[in-house]
Every structure is written in structure tokens, then in C-alpha cells.
Amino acid sequence: TQSSCSASCAGGIFVTKAMCVRDFLTPVNSSSCNLQTRPSTGTKTCNNHPCPVMWSTGEWGLCSKSCAGGQQTRQIQCVRKVIFEKEEIVPHSLCLGSAPTQIQTCNNQACPP
């Protein structure tokens, strides 16, 4: 039997197991089967193509003021996953839709007298 791929992109694995069966259904002891014809087992990689591009946002930075309205920024990147837990940065023009907000206001309360 073969499992489905563990990832849809950027490299997953599938596991192949061999089982001795009778009449294509009933599992039996492996001594009932010919070891010479046993299929290979183990793991293989699959879906090694890069994932689609997507927007990636960093954490918001510190506010520029403690009161009366400041600004904070975050890093915005267009990325795609190329292999397990590894992303590459690609041009913003490759990401669909508008980029997420990079600047926002903060600490809008009035300053104490």
C-alpha cells in the first residue's frame, strides 16, 4: 500500500508498505508470501515543485509615540515555499491582490497634561 503525499507542494513524502494478503483482501502471515517478489518499501519524496506565492507579514514594530498618535510598521514580503520550512523571497509583482498594510496608527489617546 502507498500513502498519499504528506504535502501538496515544496516536497512531501509518501510511505510504501508491503503486506501479504490472500485473495487481495485478507492479511496473512508474511511467511505465506514469496519474499523474492515482495515490492520495495520505505519513503519517497513527492510534490517537489514550489508552492504558490503568498504575502508574508512580520510583527508590528514599536509605536513611534507613546500618545497623541504615532505610527508602527511591519515588514511585508512576497514569498513562496520551495522546500520543507524554507521560503524564498520573490518580487512583490508576483503576489496576487493588494499587499497587506505596512503602516498603521497607534497610541491615539491624548497625552496627559
Side-chain angles (χ1 to χ4, degrees), residues 8-25:
S8 60
C9 57
I13 60 166
F14 65 80
V15 179
T16 305
K17 296 179 183 175
M19 194 170 21
C20 185
V21 294
R22 179 181 299 134
D23 301 326
F24 299 101
L25 295 173

Side-chain angles (χ1 to χ4, degrees), residues 35-75:
L35 292 178
Q36 308 263 332
T37 60
R38 180 184 173 140
S40 61
T41 60
T43 59
K44 292 185 181 174
T45 60
C46 50
N47 294 336
N48 293 318
H49 56 280
C51 293
V53 295
M54 64 181 188
W55 291 111
S56 174
T57 56
E59 297 293 319
W60 287 107
L62 296 174
C63 192
S64 61
K65 293 183 179 179
S66 59
C67 57
Q71 286 188 333
Q72 59 187 161
T73 61
R74 64 180 175 178
Q75 188 174 29

